[in-house]
Amino acid sequence: MPRLRTGFIILATTTLLAACTSVVPPAPGPGKTATTPPVQLTQGGILSAINNTRAANGKPPLRYNVKLEDAARSQANLMAAKDTLSHDLGVTLRQRVTTAGYDGAVGENVAGGQSSLDQAIAGWLASPAHRDTLLSTKFQEFGLAVATVPPNRDSRYRTYWAFIAGGPFDAWR
């Protein structure tokens, strides 16, 4: 019975996500900065924005991880589909990263309503717990995704961001 229920949840989630637009950066692009709107983000622009923020705060750079990006995309899409800003909308962070094939310690930041990555980062820096996740030296890599609610649908935040940092479990022991 648990397998049947899981299959139903995956099917229901897939159906909900069809109404969302997910923006996941494919490759670096010239001239993209942290003020780039979600539809123009690239992996290189995201990597620069996150690592420039870390450098400005005396922290080492993170590597980009597509498995963490997949888990972040899942969360951003789910938040947009449900038009709800939350870390747990029926699928926990651990479930999402495991489904994406990532095995390690993780931390997550989510945001809603910001129209650019620099605004999302500024919001995370202004929140002590989110700041700690963004700047932690225990993490070595990250993935990020953004999803938007279609313009023909009413929405509280319209744009949803998910950042997931990861690293070895040993760093937390």
Side-chain angles (χ1 to χ4, degrees), residues 73-95:
R73 181 187 315 110
S74 173
Q75 182 63 10
N77 281 341
L78 191 55
M79 289 187 299
K82 294 188 174 195
D83 198 27
T84 302
L85 183 62
S86 177
H87 289 280
D88 187 353
L89 293 169
V91 183
T92 67
L93 172 58
R94 177 55 48 199
Q95 289 169 324

Side-chain angles (χ1 to χ4, degrees), residues 50-64:
I50 295 297
N51 284 332
N52 288 344
T53 299
R54 289 177 60 84
N57 287 276
K59 305 301 179 190
L62 298 174
R63 294 182 309 272
Y64 200 83

Side-chain angles (χ1 to χ4, degrees), residues 39-164:
V39 296
Q40 295 177 6
L41 284 172
T42 65
Q43 189 180 83
I46 290 171
L47 190 62
S48 292
I50 295 297
N51 284 332
N52 288 344
T53 299
R54 289 177 60 84
N57 287 276
K59 305 301 179 190
L62 298 174
R63 294 182 309 272
Y64 200 83
N65 183 295
V66 294
K67 291 178 181 178
L68 292 173
E69 175 191 292
D70 288 345
R73 181 187 315 110
S74 173
Q75 182 63 10
N77 281 341
L78 191 55
M79 289 187 299
K82 294 188 174 195
D83 198 27
T84 302
L85 183 62
S86 177
H87 289 280
D88 187 353
L89 293 169
V91 183
T92 67
L93 172 58
R94 177 55 48 199
Q95 289 169 324
R96 285 185 277 111
V97 297
T98 299
T99 298
Y102 189 82
D103 183 32
V106 292
E108 176 179 69
N109 287 348
V110 296
Q114 297 81 2
S115 60
S116 67
L117 179 54
D118 64 319
Q119 290 176 356
I121 290 171
W124 292 329
L125 289 172
S127 163
H130 292 97
R131 181 184 184 87
D132 288 348
T133 300
L134 183 62
L135 300 179
S136 174
T137 57
K138 293 181 180 181
F139 295 125
Q140 298 174 350
E141 52 198 354
F142 78 99
L144 184 139
V146 57
T148 57
V149 176
N152 63 341
R153 254 183 58 206
D154 287 336
S155 174
R156 180 172 181 191
Y157 294 107
R158 182 86 36 222
T159 305
Y160 291 89
W161 302 85
F163 165 91
I164 301 176

